[in-house]
Amino acid sequence: MSLLGAIEAGGTKFVVAVADVADPEQVLHRESFPTEDGTRTLEKVITFFDQFTDIAAIGIAAFGPIDVKPNSPTYGYVLDTPKRGWSGFDFLGTMKAWRDIPYYWTTDVNGAGWAEYKTGAAKDVENVVYLTIGTGVGAGIITNGELLTGYSHPEAGHIMMQKHPDDVYEGLCPFHGNRCLEGLTAGPAIEARWGMSAKEIPDDHPAWKMEAFYLAQAAMTFTATLRPDMIVFGGGVPHREVLLPMVRESFAEQMNNYLAVPDLDTYIQPVKNGDNAGILGCFYLAKTLI
């Protein structure tokens, strides 16, 4: 049996898995472990894949920023990141030194976004913005059926935001403080602002309207600049069912009837593949290489 490999490389944990090439949706083996520094974490990754001799290709969806330009001298590296032990780490080179097979190298949000495009919420459209709101904030953007890239991958978690008039929080982002989307809306920012995690905050707490204001503002920016068919929200924070209806309501208010968009229940949707989106996306991307 020929296998596909998947590495969902998150800042908090890594998930590794294999699936049959003929049926990527059926995960055959899967493990997860906390993210340590680059060297120790990849030792665990390689130990997992050492069990399998017939891997045809591996998809890697990694936290960023990462170098995705094939002609760059640091292609395959993790770039400057607050995650200790990862800045300047040659992720892809380490894997190639272990086994020289095809690897699809991209961001964690691109992996999850690709899964939503293939079999999830966005499977019937060609243009989608996938936003993940969790430990960090990022976007996987698919335009005309292709992952969007330019000089590098999008870092949409760091778009500038207009502060909510009632928000006095100083922000989480070490680069932009309280001026960017991640600094204001990521899970750790919610907990620091309110003294409770997103899981603990009651449905009727004002935290959700404030979070919705920022996420709707981001959705408005991406709507105006990219004109997608759909915006899909993933990550731990949107697991709270109270949030997305508020995002749709705030989006309508902030757009103020500018630009025609589909029905908001269709246009702004939750992830359909759940916590499997990243792994599935890695499998689908790996399969494009064989």
Side-chain angles (χ1 to χ4, degrees), residues 5 18 44 52 60 69 71 107 141 150 155 160 180 183 195 271 274:
V18 294
K44 293 181 180 179
F52 312 102
I60 305 172
K69 294 178 67 177
N71 61 347
T107 63
I141 300 169
E155 275 291 299
M160 296 293 101
C180 74
V271 63

Side-chain angles (χ1 to χ4, degrees), residues 71-277:
N71 61 347
S72 168
T74 55
Y75 174 65
Y77 282 61
V78 179
L79 302 177
D80 289 338
T81 172
K83 189 70 178 174
R84 184 174 297 178
W86 284 94
S87 292
F89 182 74
D90 187 3
F91 193 134
L92 185 57
T94 301
M95 294 305 301
K96 287 188 175 225
W98 164 73
R99 195 177 294 176
D100 193 13
I101 58 176
Y103 294 88
Y104 199 107
W105 169 247
T106 191
T107 63
D108 49 358
V109 283
N110 273 351
W114 191 254
E116 288 302 295
Y117 168 69
K118 293 294 288 185
T119 62
K123 66 181 180 179
D124 296 322
V125 301
E126 288 295 294
N127 304 282
V128 59
V129 173
Y130 170 81
L131 271 170
T132 183
I133 317 295
T135 304
V137 176
I141 300 169
I142 296 164
T143 302
N144 297 322
E146 300 287 340
L147 285 168
L148 179 67
T149 188
Y151 176 79
S152 186
H153 58 82
E155 275 291 299
H158 295 272
I159 60 172
M160 296 293 101
M161 305 297 290
Q162 177 181 336
K163 286 289 294 289
H164 189 283
D166 298 330
D167 192 3
V168 297
Y169 176 54
E170 295 181 355
L172 172 80
C173 179
F175 301 99
H176 309 120
N178 64 357
R179 294 179 293 127
C180 74
L181 179 63
E182 180 171 294
L184 291 166
T185 66
I190 294 173
E191 186 165 359
R193 181 191 283 111
W194 301 108
M196 296 180 283
S197 72
K199 291 181 180 179
E200 298 169 319
I201 296 174
D203 285 353
D204 60 354
H205 195 280
W208 296 117
K209 283 198 173 182
M210 187 174 291
E211 183 79 0
F213 170 81
Y214 289 127
L215 297 185
Q217 189 180 153
M220 183 176 70
T221 296
F222 296 129
T223 297
T225 54
L226 297 168
R227 302 304 303 276
D229 301 307
M230 183 181 295
I231 297 175
V232 179
F233 282 92
V237 173
H239 280 342
R240 290 296 298 267
E241 294 182 4
V242 68
L243 181 58
L244 285 194
M246 291 184 180
V247 173
R248 295 184 187 107
E249 181 181 0
S250 184
F251 176 83
E253 291 173 358
Q254 294 185 57
M255 288 293 287
N256 197 28
N257 296 317
Y258 183 66
L259 300 178
V261 298
D263 174 75
L264 285 182
D265 288 338
T266 302
Y267 185 64
I268 294 175
Q269 291 209 34
V271 63
K272 292 293 194 297
N273 282 314
D275 293 335
N276 286 324

